[in-house]
Amino acid sequence: MTPSDYTEQQIHRYRQMSGEQRLLIALNLHEMSCEIARDGIRSALKVDFFRLAGDAYELHRFVRRRAVTILGQPAFLASPEDVILHKLRWYRISPSIARFQMPWAS
């Protein structure tokens, strides 16, 4: 399956969901992200959440993700290379904001 086929399949599934189903998914994701953040604070673990943009690189990054279980919940992790590339792309798009988080780049 190509990245665009997979994306179309996900969009089709999303459109078939009711508003309640979409809200439940959003609430579950929010609760999971809060729990991961709380656990990260307790264990000094840092977690970054990246949204999926629509360009070809982002679709390939989405396909390359790895399925894992975090705190008993299914999750996906990007490859270390994709995380670095994503952060570099983000820095290029918004350098003024990124400098607050990467003081060595100033």
Side-chain angles (χ1 to χ4, degrees), residues 91-105:
Y91 179 76
R92 185 173 24 147
I93 292 169
S94 57
S96 61
I97 296 171
R99 285 196 178 106
F100 290 114
Q101 294 186 355
M102 296 185 282
W104 49 264

Side-chain angles (χ1 to χ4, degrees), residues 34-49:
C34 289
E35 184 61 32
I36 290 170
R38 284 189 293 270
D39 189 56
I41 291 169
R42 290 189 292 267
S43 67
L45 172 71
K46 184 175 184 292
V47 177
D48 290 322
F49 293 93

Side-chain angles (χ1 to χ4, degrees), residues 9 14 18-19 27 30 33 36 38 40-41 46 48 51 58 66 74-75 78 80-81 84 87 102:
Q9 182 184 30
Y14 182 78
S18 68
L27 290 172
H30 176 73
S33 66
I36 290 170
R38 284 189 293 270
I41 291 169
K46 184 175 184 292
D48 290 322
R51 71 173 186 83
E58 291 290 327
R66 295 179 297 137
E81 298 85 359
I84 291 169
K87 287 185 176 198
M102 296 185 282

Side-chain angles (χ1 to χ4, degrees), residues 1-39:
M1 180 178 290
T2 67
S4 59
D5 291 341
Y6 187 79
T7 302
E8 286 300 318
Q9 182 184 30
Q10 293 294 351
I11 291 170
H12 178 73
R13 287 181 182 165
Y14 182 78
R15 287 180 178 157
Q16 290 179 329
M17 291 180 183
S18 68
E20 291 85 12
Q21 290 171 316
R22 293 176 187 176
L23 180 60
L24 181 60
I25 288 171
L27 290 172
N28 287 339
L29 287 172
H30 176 73
E31 179 58 35
M32 184 178 77
S33 66
C34 289
E35 184 61 32
I36 290 170
R38 284 189 293 270
D39 189 56

